[in-house]
mmCIF file of all heavy atoms in Angstrom:
data_model
loop_
_atom_site.group_PDB
_atom_site.id
_atom_site.type_symbol
_atom_site.label_atom_id
_atom_site.label_comp_id
_atom_site.label_asym_id
_atom_site.label_seq_id
_atom_site.Cartn_x
_atom_site.Cartn_y
_atom_site.Cartn_z
ATOM 1 N N GLY A 32 -68.653 -21.633 49.830
ATOM 2 C CA GLY A 32 -68.128 -21.522 51.188
ATOM 3 C C GLY A 32 -66.924 -22.403 51.440
ATOM 4 O O GLY A 32 -65.809 -21.926 51.640
ATOM 5 N N ALA A 33 -67.137 -23.731 51.396
ATOM 6 C CA ALA A 33 -66.039 -24.660 51.691
ATOM 7 C C ALA A 33 -64.948 -24.586 50.626
ATOM 8 O O ALA A 33 -63.755 -24.541 50.946
ATOM 9 C CB ALA A 33 -66.586 -26.082 51.796
ATOM 10 N N PHE A 34 -65.328 -24.575 49.337
ATOM 11 C CA PHE A 34 -64.334 -24.600 48.263
ATOM 12 C C PHE A 34 -63.514 -23.313 48.188
ATOM 13 O O PHE A 34 -62.297 -23.354 47.978
ATOM 14 C CB PHE A 34 -65.024 -24.861 46.918
ATOM 15 C CG PHE A 34 -64.086 -24.859 45.741
ATOM 16 C CD1 PHE A 34 -63.167 -25.881 45.562
ATOM 17 C CD2 PHE A 34 -64.111 -23.823 44.830
ATOM 18 C CE1 PHE A 34 -62.292 -25.873 44.489
ATOM 19 C CE2 PHE A 34 -63.236 -23.798 43.755
ATOM 20 C CZ PHE A 34 -62.321 -24.835 43.582
ATOM 21 N N THR A 35 -64.137 -22.169 48.370
ATOM 22 C CA THR A 35 -63.398 -20.906 48.292
ATOM 23 C C THR A 35 -62.490 -20.705 49.500
ATOM 24 O O THR A 35 -61.548 -19.906 49.451
ATOM 25 C CB THR A 35 -64.349 -19.697 48.205
ATOM 26 O OG1 THR A 35 -65.086 -19.595 49.431
ATOM 27 C CG2 THR A 35 -65.309 -19.808 47.029
ATOM 28 N N GLY A 36 -62.779 -21.399 50.592
ATOM 29 C CA GLY A 36 -61.998 -21.239 51.812
ATOM 30 C C GLY A 36 -62.509 -20.151 52.727
ATOM 31 O O GLY A 36 -61.909 -19.868 53.764
ATOM 32 N N GLY A 37 -63.634 -19.558 52.365
ATOM 33 C CA GLY A 37 -64.190 -18.490 53.192
ATOM 34 C C GLY A 37 -65.032 -18.991 54.344
ATOM 35 O O GLY A 37 -65.337 -18.239 55.267
ATOM 36 N N GLY A 38 -65.429 -20.241 54.289
ATOM 37 C CA GLY A 38 -66.232 -20.805 55.370
ATOM 38 C C GLY A 38 -67.680 -20.982 54.980
ATOM 39 O O GLY A 38 -68.205 -20.271 54.122
ATOM 40 N N THR A 39 -68.328 -21.924 55.625
ATOM 41 C CA THR A 39 -69.731 -22.207 55.367
ATOM 42 C C THR A 39 -70.611 -21.403 56.321
ATOM 43 O O THR A 39 -70.127 -20.563 57.077
ATOM 44 C CB THR A 39 -70.002 -23.708 55.518
ATOM 45 O OG1 THR A 39 -69.592 -24.118 56.834
ATOM 46 C CG2 THR A 39 -69.221 -24.504 54.481
ATOM 47 N N SER A 40 -71.889 -21.724 56.319
ATOM 48 C CA SER A 40 -72.851 -20.914 57.081
ATOM 49 C C SER A 40 -72.694 -21.058 58.590
ATOM 50 O O SER A 40 -73.242 -20.267 59.338
ATOM 51 C CB SER A 40 -74.280 -21.283 56.679
ATOM 52 O OG SER A 40 -74.524 -22.642 56.964
ATOM 53 N N GLY A 41 -72.009 -22.052 59.063
ATOM 54 C CA GLY A 41 -71.864 -22.192 60.500
ATOM 55 C C GLY A 41 -70.649 -23.019 60.843
ATOM 56 O O GLY A 41 -70.093 -23.674 59.962
ATOM 57 N N PRO A 42 -70.198 -23.001 62.083
ATOM 58 C CA PRO A 42 -70.729 -22.188 63.181
ATOM 59 C C PRO A 42 -70.424 -20.708 63.009
ATOM 60 O O PRO A 42 -69.541 -20.336 62.245
ATOM 61 C CB PRO A 42 -70.006 -22.752 64.415
ATOM 62 C CG PRO A 42 -68.722 -23.277 63.859
ATOM 63 C CD PRO A 42 -69.055 -23.833 62.502
ATOM 64 N N VAL A 43 -71.164 -19.888 63.715
ATOM 65 C CA VAL A 43 -71.064 -18.440 63.573
ATOM 66 C C VAL A 43 -69.732 -17.937 64.123
ATOM 67 O O VAL A 43 -69.246 -18.400 65.160
ATOM 68 C CB VAL A 43 -72.232 -17.747 64.311
ATOM 69 C CG1 VAL A 43 -72.123 -16.242 64.213
ATOM 70 C CG2 VAL A 43 -73.559 -18.215 63.747
ATOM 71 N N ASP A 44 -69.143 -16.979 63.404
ATOM 72 C CA ASP A 44 -67.911 -16.313 63.841
ATOM 73 C C ASP A 44 -68.112 -15.756 65.242
ATOM 74 O O ASP A 44 -69.159 -15.181 65.562
ATOM 75 C CB ASP A 44 -67.586 -15.189 62.853
ATOM 76 C CG ASP A 44 -66.276 -14.481 63.164
ATOM 77 O OD1 ASP A 44 -66.238 -13.756 64.174
ATOM 78 O OD2 ASP A 44 -65.331 -14.611 62.386
ATOM 79 N N ALA A 45 -67.118 -15.887 66.087
ATOM 80 C CA ALA A 45 -67.224 -15.436 67.476
ATOM 81 C C ALA A 45 -67.529 -13.949 67.575
ATOM 82 O O ALA A 45 -68.162 -13.487 68.519
ATOM 83 C CB ALA A 45 -65.938 -15.762 68.230
ATOM 84 N N ARG A 46 -67.082 -13.174 66.563
ATOM 85 C CA ARG A 46 -67.326 -11.736 66.586
ATOM 86 C C ARG A 46 -68.699 -11.375 66.036
ATOM 87 O O ARG A 46 -69.116 -10.223 66.115
ATOM 88 C CB ARG A 46 -66.267 -11.011 65.751
ATOM 89 C CG ARG A 46 -64.853 -11.120 66.253
ATOM 90 C CD ARG A 46 -63.924 -10.292 65.385
ATOM 91 N NE ARG A 46 -64.322 -8.902 65.389
ATOM 92 C CZ ARG A 46 -64.035 -8.033 64.402
ATOM 93 N NH1 ARG A 46 -63.377 -8.426 63.350
ATOM 94 N NH2 ARG A 46 -64.421 -6.776 64.484
ATOM 95 N N GLY A 47 -69.378 -12.345 65.437
ATOM 96 C CA GLY A 47 -70.655 -12.033 64.825
ATOM 97 C C GLY A 47 -70.524 -11.538 63.398
ATOM 98 O O GLY A 47 -71.501 -11.137 62.789
ATOM 99 N N ARG A 48 -69.322 -11.567 62.850
ATOM 100 C CA ARG A 48 -69.094 -11.092 61.478
ATOM 101 C C ARG A 48 -69.604 -12.132 60.476
ATOM 102 O O ARG A 48 -69.434 -13.326 60.672
ATOM 103 C CB ARG A 48 -67.602 -10.844 61.263
ATOM 104 C CG ARG A 48 -67.180 -10.715 59.825
ATOM 105 C CD ARG A 48 -65.674 -10.613 59.704
ATOM 106 N NE ARG A 48 -65.235 -9.226 59.686
ATOM 107 C CZ ARG A 48 -63.980 -8.837 59.869
ATOM 108 N NH1 ARG A 48 -63.044 -9.741 60.121
ATOM 109 N NH2 ARG A 48 -63.648 -7.570 59.828
ATOM 110 N N ILE A 49 -70.205 -11.656 59.404
ATOM 111 C CA ILE A 49 -70.570 -12.532 58.298
ATOM 112 C C ILE A 49 -69.744 -12.133 57.086
ATOM 113 O O ILE A 49 -69.190 -11.029 57.023
ATOM 114 C CB ILE A 49 -72.069 -12.456 57.963
ATOM 115 C CG1 ILE A 49 -72.431 -11.088 57.363
ATOM 116 C CG2 ILE A 49 -72.924 -12.782 59.170
ATOM 117 C CD1 ILE A 49 -73.784 -11.037 56.701
ATOM 118 N N ALA A 50 -69.632 -13.039 56.135
ATOM 119 C CA ALA A 50 -68.917 -12.736 54.901
ATOM 120 C C ALA A 50 -69.463 -13.586 53.776
ATOM 121 O O ALA A 50 -69.846 -14.741 53.985
ATOM 122 C CB ALA A 50 -67.415 -12.989 55.064
ATOM 123 N N ASN A 51 -69.513 -13.011 52.581
ATOM 124 C CA ASN A 51 -69.970 -13.757 51.416
ATOM 125 C C ASN A 51 -68.812 -14.480 50.750
ATOM 126 O O ASN A 51 -67.679 -13.989 50.698
ATOM 127 C CB ASN A 51 -70.603 -12.830 50.377
ATOM 128 C CG ASN A 51 -72.056 -12.497 50.668
ATOM 129 O OD1 ASN A 51 -72.526 -11.416 50.355
ATOM 130 N ND2 ASN A 51 -72.791 -13.419 51.265
ATOM 131 N N GLY A 52 -69.116 -15.669 50.235
ATOM 132 C CA GLY A 52 -68.249 -16.357 49.303
ATOM 133 C C GLY A 52 -68.985 -16.468 47.982
ATOM 134 O O GLY A 52 -70.220 -16.603 47.968
ATOM 135 N N MET A 53 -68.272 -16.405 46.870
ATOM 136 C CA MET A 53 -68.920 -16.501 45.558
ATOM 137 C C MET A 53 -68.012 -17.277 44.600
ATOM 138 O O MET A 53 -66.858 -16.911 44.400
ATOM 139 C CB MET A 53 -69.231 -15.108 44.994
ATOM 140 C CG MET A 53 -69.933 -15.142 43.651
ATOM 141 S SD MET A 53 -70.722 -13.561 43.187
ATOM 142 C CE MET A 53 -69.267 -12.529 42.883
ATOM 143 N N LEU A 54 -68.542 -18.337 44.041
ATOM 144 C CA LEU A 54 -67.847 -19.083 42.999
ATOM 145 C C LEU A 54 -68.544 -18.786 41.680
ATOM 146 O O LEU A 54 -69.735 -19.076 41.526
ATOM 147 C CB LEU A 54 -67.874 -20.582 43.283
ATOM 148 C CG LEU A 54 -67.147 -21.444 42.240
ATOM 149 C CD1 LEU A 54 -65.646 -21.204 42.305
ATOM 150 C CD2 LEU A 54 -67.467 -22.922 42.438
ATOM 151 N N SER A 55 -67.806 -18.206 40.740
ATOM 152 C CA SER A 55 -68.392 -17.756 39.476
ATOM 153 C C SER A 55 -67.715 -18.423 38.293
ATOM 154 O O SER A 55 -66.488 -18.560 38.263
ATOM 155 C CB SER A 55 -68.253 -16.231 39.336
ATOM 156 O OG SER A 55 -68.895 -15.566 40.401
ATOM 157 N N ILE A 56 -68.520 -18.810 37.326
ATOM 158 C CA ILE A 56 -68.046 -19.420 36.085
ATOM 159 C C ILE A 56 -68.432 -18.497 34.934
ATOM 160 O O ILE A 56 -69.596 -18.087 34.823
ATOM 161 C CB ILE A 56 -68.661 -20.812 35.882
ATOM 162 C CG1 ILE A 56 -68.332 -21.719 37.072
ATOM 163 C CG2 ILE A 56 -68.193 -21.442 34.571
ATOM 164 C CD1 ILE A 56 -69.160 -22.986 37.120
ATOM 165 N N TYR A 57 -67.473 -18.160 34.097
ATOM 166 C CA TYR A 57 -67.698 -17.263 32.963
ATOM 167 C C TYR A 57 -67.398 -18.020 31.664
ATOM 168 O O TYR A 57 -66.378 -18.715 31.565
ATOM 169 C CB TYR A 57 -66.810 -16.028 33.068
ATOM 170 C CG TYR A 57 -67.044 -15.234 34.327
ATOM 171 C CD1 TYR A 57 -66.332 -15.525 35.496
ATOM 172 C CD2 TYR A 57 -67.995 -14.218 34.378
ATOM 173 C CE1 TYR A 57 -66.559 -14.822 36.666
ATOM 174 C CE2 TYR A 57 -68.230 -13.509 35.547
ATOM 175 C CZ TYR A 57 -67.509 -13.816 36.684
ATOM 176 O OH TYR A 57 -67.740 -13.114 37.845
ATOM 177 N N ILE A 58 -68.282 -17.872 30.687
ATOM 178 C CA ILE A 58 -68.154 -18.592 29.414
ATOM 179 C C ILE A 58 -68.330 -17.612 28.262
ATOM 180 O O ILE A 58 -69.298 -16.837 28.240
ATOM 181 C CB ILE A 58 -69.212 -19.708 29.303
ATOM 182 C CG1 ILE A 58 -69.118 -20.661 30.505
ATOM 183 C CG2 ILE A 58 -69.057 -20.475 27.995
ATOM 184 C CD1 ILE A 58 -70.285 -21.631 30.607
ATOM 185 N N SER A 59 -67.423 -17.666 27.301
ATOM 186 C CA SER A 59 -67.487 -16.800 26.123
ATOM 187 C C SER A 59 -68.003 -17.590 24.929
ATOM 188 O O SER A 59 -67.268 -18.421 24.372
ATOM 189 C CB SER A 59 -66.099 -16.231 25.812
ATOM 190 O OG SER A 59 -66.099 -15.603 24.549
ATOM 191 N N PRO A 60 -69.249 -17.381 24.489
ATOM 192 C CA PRO A 60 -69.754 -18.097 23.313
ATOM 193 C C PRO A 60 -68.894 -17.873 22.071
ATOM 194 O O PRO A 60 -68.752 -18.773 21.243
ATOM 195 C CB PRO A 60 -71.163 -17.501 23.129
ATOM 196 C CG PRO A 60 -71.550 -17.027 24.488
ATOM 197 C CD PRO A 60 -70.276 -16.516 25.096
ATOM 198 N N GLN A 61 -68.302 -16.703 21.969
ATOM 199 C CA GLN A 61 -67.472 -16.389 20.809
ATOM 200 C C GLN A 61 -66.290 -17.363 20.701
ATOM 201 O O GLN A 61 -65.943 -17.831 19.624
ATOM 202 C CB GLN A 61 -66.973 -14.953 20.898
ATOM 203 C CG GLN A 61 -66.126 -14.506 19.715
ATOM 204 C CD GLN A 61 -65.715 -13.049 19.829
ATOM 205 O OE1 GLN A 61 -66.177 -12.331 20.700
ATOM 206 N NE2 GLN A 61 -64.843 -12.619 18.933
ATOM 207 N N HIS A 62 -65.669 -17.685 21.833
ATOM 208 C CA HIS A 62 -64.521 -18.578 21.819
ATOM 209 C C HIS A 62 -64.916 -20.009 21.476
ATOM 210 O O HIS A 62 -64.089 -20.778 20.983
ATOM 211 C CB HIS A 62 -63.812 -18.548 23.178
ATOM 212 C CG HIS A 62 -62.973 -17.338 23.391
ATOM 213 N ND1 HIS A 62 -63.523 -16.099 23.650
ATOM 214 C CD2 HIS A 62 -61.620 -17.158 23.366
ATOM 215 C CE1 HIS A 62 -62.546 -15.222 23.794
ATOM 216 N NE2 HIS A 62 -61.391 -15.830 23.620
ATOM 217 N N PHE A 63 -66.151 -20.367 21.747
ATOM 218 C CA PHE A 63 -66.609 -21.710 21.425
ATOM 219 C C PHE A 63 -67.042 -21.820 19.961
ATOM 220 O O PHE A 63 -67.427 -22.887 19.499
ATOM 221 C CB PHE A 63 -67.757 -22.112 22.351
ATOM 222 C CG PHE A 63 -67.305 -22.560 23.721
ATOM 223 C CD1 PHE A 63 -66.873 -21.636 24.660
ATOM 224 C CD2 PHE A 63 -67.297 -23.899 24.067
ATOM 225 C CE1 PHE A 63 -66.448 -22.037 25.925
ATOM 226 C CE2 PHE A 63 -66.872 -24.307 25.322
ATOM 227 C CZ PHE A 63 -66.446 -23.374 26.253
ATOM 228 N N GLY A 64 -67.011 -20.687 19.254
ATOM 229 C CA GLY A 64 -67.383 -20.684 17.846
ATOM 230 C C GLY A 64 -68.871 -20.820 17.603
ATOM 231 O O GLY A 64 -69.302 -21.145 16.493
ATOM 232 N N THR A 65 -69.658 -20.569 18.657
ATOM 233 C CA THR A 65 -71.103 -20.775 18.544
ATOM 234 C C THR A 65 -71.894 -19.503 18.799
ATOM 235 O O THR A 65 -73.110 -19.565 18.977
ATOM 236 C CB THR A 65 -71.572 -21.844 19.554
ATOM 237 O OG1 THR A 65 -71.273 -21.375 20.889
ATOM 238 C CG2 THR A 65 -70.863 -23.165 19.326
ATOM 239 N N ALA A 66 -71.237 -18.345 18.846
ATOM 240 C CA ALA A 66 -71.902 -17.120 19.299
ATOM 241 C C ALA A 66 -73.155 -16.801 18.488
ATOM 242 O O ALA A 66 -74.238 -16.599 19.046
ATOM 243 C CB ALA A 66 -70.925 -15.955 19.258
ATOM 244 N N ALA A 67 -73.038 -16.752 17.162
ATOM 245 C CA ALA A 67 -74.182 -16.368 16.333
ATOM 246 C C ALA A 67 -75.294 -17.394 16.408
ATOM 247 O O ALA A 67 -76.470 -17.048 16.580
ATOM 248 C CB ALA A 67 -73.728 -16.176 14.885
ATOM 249 N N GLU A 68 -74.935 -18.682 16.299
ATOM 250 C CA GLU A 68 -75.943 -19.729 16.341
ATOM 251 C C GLU A 68 -76.572 -19.821 17.730
ATOM 252 O O GLU A 68 -77.787 -20.012 17.860
ATOM 253 C CB GLU A 68 -75.316 -21.070 15.957
ATOM 254 C CG GLU A 68 -76.283 -22.248 15.965
ATOM 255 C CD GLU A 68 -77.406 -22.102 14.951
ATOM 256 O OE1 GLU A 68 -77.281 -21.273 14.028
ATOM 257 O OE2 GLU A 68 -78.423 -22.820 15.103
ATOM 258 N N PHE A 69 -75.746 -19.671 18.755
ATOM 259 C CA PHE A 69 -76.261 -19.694 20.127
ATOM 260 C C PHE A 69 -77.280 -18.577 20.333
ATOM 261 O O PHE A 69 -78.378 -18.794 20.859
ATOM 262 C CB PHE A 69 -75.110 -19.542 21.121
ATOM 263 C CG PHE A 69 -75.543 -19.122 22.505
ATOM 264 C CD1 PHE A 69 -76.246 -19.982 23.313
ATOM 265 C CD2 PHE A 69 -75.250 -17.841 22.978
ATOM 266 C CE1 PHE A 69 -76.659 -19.595 24.583
ATOM 267 C CE2 PHE A 69 -75.656 -17.450 24.234
ATOM 268 C CZ PHE A 69 -76.360 -18.330 25.049
ATOM 269 N N LYS A 70 -76.926 -17.362 19.912
ATOM 270 C CA LYS A 70 -77.814 -16.219 20.108
ATOM 271 C C LYS A 70 -79.128 -16.429 19.356
ATOM 272 O O LYS A 70 -80.211 -16.181 19.899
ATOM 273 C CB LYS A 70 -77.124 -14.936 19.640
ATOM 274 C CG LYS A 70 -77.796 -13.642 20.090
ATOM 275 C CD LYS A 70 -76.903 -12.444 19.786
ATOM 276 C CE LYS A 70 -77.462 -11.166 20.422
ATOM 277 N NZ LYS A 70 -78.766 -10.766 19.889
ATOM 278 N N ARG A 71 -79.046 -16.898 18.098
ATOM 279 C CA ARG A 71 -80.264 -17.109 17.308
ATOM 280 C C ARG A 71 -81.143 -18.172 17.940
ATOM 281 O O ARG A 71 -82.346 -17.981 18.138
ATOM 282 C CB ARG A 71 -79.902 -17.517 15.881
ATOM 283 C CG ARG A 71 -81.125 -17.670 14.966
ATOM 284 C CD ARG A 71 -80.756 -18.329 13.653
ATOM 285 N NE ARG A 71 -80.325 -19.719 13.841
ATOM 286 C CZ ARG A 71 -81.184 -20.727 14.040
ATOM 287 N NH1 ARG A 71 -82.505 -20.503 14.088
ATOM 288 N NH2 ARG A 71 -80.741 -21.956 14.198
ATOM 289 N N THR A 72 -80.532 -19.314 18.281
ATOM 290 C CA THR A 72 -81.301 -20.418 18.855
ATOM 291 C C THR A 72 -81.896 -20.034 20.206
ATOM 292 O O THR A 72 -83.064 -20.325 20.495
ATOM 293 C CB THR A 72 -80.406 -21.660 19.013
ATOM 294 O OG1 THR A 72 -79.845 -22.003 17.750
ATOM 295 C CG2 THR A 72 -81.191 -22.837 19.554
ATOM 296 N N ALA A 73 -81.089 -19.373 21.052
ATOM 297 C CA ALA A 73 -81.557 -18.985 22.384
ATOM 298 C C ALA A 73 -82.711 -17.991 22.290
ATOM 299 O O ALA A 73 -83.717 -18.123 23.000
ATOM 300 C CB ALA A 73 -80.405 -18.398 23.189
ATOM 301 N N GLU A 74 -82.581 -16.994 21.416
ATOM 302 C CA GLU A 74 -83.631 -15.978 21.306
ATOM 303 C C GLU A 74 -84.897 -16.558 20.696
ATOM 304 O O GLU A 74 -86.006 -16.185 21.093
ATOM 305 C CB GLU A 74 -83.111 -14.785 20.511
ATOM 306 C CG GLU A 74 -82.060 -13.993 21.286
ATOM 307 C CD GLU A 74 -81.441 -12.862 20.494
ATOM 308 O OE1 GLU A 74 -81.811 -12.680 19.304
ATOM 309 O OE2 GLU A 74 -80.572 -12.161 21.047
ATOM 310 N N ASP A 75 -84.752 -17.490 19.756
ATOM 311 C CA ASP A 75 -85.936 -18.167 19.209
ATOM 312 C C ASP A 75 -86.633 -18.965 20.299
ATOM 313 O O ASP A 75 -87.867 -19.003 20.376
ATOM 314 C CB ASP A 75 -85.535 -19.094 18.064
ATOM 315 C CG ASP A 75 -85.194 -18.354 16.780
ATOM 316 O OD1 ASP A 75 -85.462 -17.137 16.711
ATOM 317 O OD2 ASP A 75 -84.667 -18.994 15.852
ATOM 318 N N TYR A 76 -85.840 -19.590 21.156
ATOM 319 C CA TYR A 76 -86.420 -20.406 22.213
ATOM 320 C C TYR A 76 -87.135 -19.529 23.243
ATOM 321 O O TYR A 76 -88.240 -19.857 23.704
ATOM 322 C CB TYR A 76 -85.345 -21.251 22.897
ATOM 323 C CG TYR A 76 -85.919 -22.154 23.964
ATOM 324 C CD1 TYR A 76 -86.720 -23.238 23.632
ATOM 325 C CD2 TYR A 76 -85.677 -21.899 25.313
ATOM 326 C CE1 TYR A 76 -87.267 -24.051 24.605
ATOM 327 C CE2 TYR A 76 -86.219 -22.709 26.296
ATOM 328 C CZ TYR A 76 -87.008 -23.787 25.936
ATOM 329 O OH TYR A 76 -87.558 -24.584 26.909
ATOM 330 N N VAL A 77 -86.501 -18.413 23.614
ATOM 331 C CA VAL A 77 -87.138 -17.489 24.557
ATOM 332 C C VAL A 77 -88.482 -17.030 24.004
ATOM 333 O O VAL A 77 -89.500 -16.994 24.720
ATOM 334 C CB VAL A 77 -86.223 -16.280 24.841
ATOM 335 C CG1 VAL A 77 -86.975 -15.218 25.643
ATOM 336 C CG2 VAL A 77 -84.978 -16.715 25.614
ATOM 337 N N ALA A 78 -88.507 -16.672 22.727
ATOM 338 C CA ALA A 78 -89.754 -16.202 22.103
ATOM 339 C C ALA A 78 -90.815 -17.305 22.118
ATOM 340 O O ALA A 78 -92.007 -17.040 22.365
ATOM 341 C CB ALA A 78 -89.480 -15.740 20.679
ATOM 342 N N TRP A 79 -90.383 -18.554 21.857
ATOM 343 C CA TRP A 79 -91.333 -19.663 21.838
ATOM 344 C C TRP A 79 -91.912 -19.927 23.231
ATOM 345 O O TRP A 79 -93.107 -20.162 23.387
ATOM 346 C CB TRP A 79 -90.651 -20.918 21.300
ATOM 347 C CG TRP A 79 -91.575 -22.087 21.153
ATOM 348 C CD1 TRP A 79 -92.645 -22.207 20.328
ATOM 349 C CD2 TRP A 79 -91.502 -23.311 21.895
ATOM 350 N NE1 TRP A 79 -93.248 -23.433 20.487
ATOM 351 C CE2 TRP A 79 -92.566 -24.129 21.444
ATOM 352 C CE3 TRP A 79 -90.622 -23.801 22.859
ATOM 353 C CZ2 TRP A 79 -92.784 -25.415 21.943
ATOM 354 C CZ3 TRP A 79 -90.849 -25.076 23.359
ATOM 355 C CH2 TRP A 79 -91.915 -25.864 22.905
#
């Protein structure tokens, strides 16, 4: 809300309009050079 500039939960817009804000982080395991090991370790952990 505050960081994106869209506003926080209050005070309420005078018109009653609401709007979502979303801050998203995307990470590519392939670029970190860990894709295969990450997938193996993560899937082993999920199974455990």
Side-chain angles (χ1 to χ4, degrees):
F34 178 70
T35 66
T39 57
S40 61
V43 178
D44 183 289
R46 296 183 59 205
R48 164 186 267 165
I49 69 166
N51 277 148
M53 181 164 70
L54 181 69
S55 301
I56 302 166
Y57 301 89
I58 304 169
S59 169
Q61 182 177 352
H62 283 74
F63 281 75
T65 61
E68 180 63 17
F69 162 70
K70 194 170 189 296
R71 184 191 66 78
T72 303
E74 290 176 359
D75 285 349
Y76 182 70
V77 171
W79 184 64

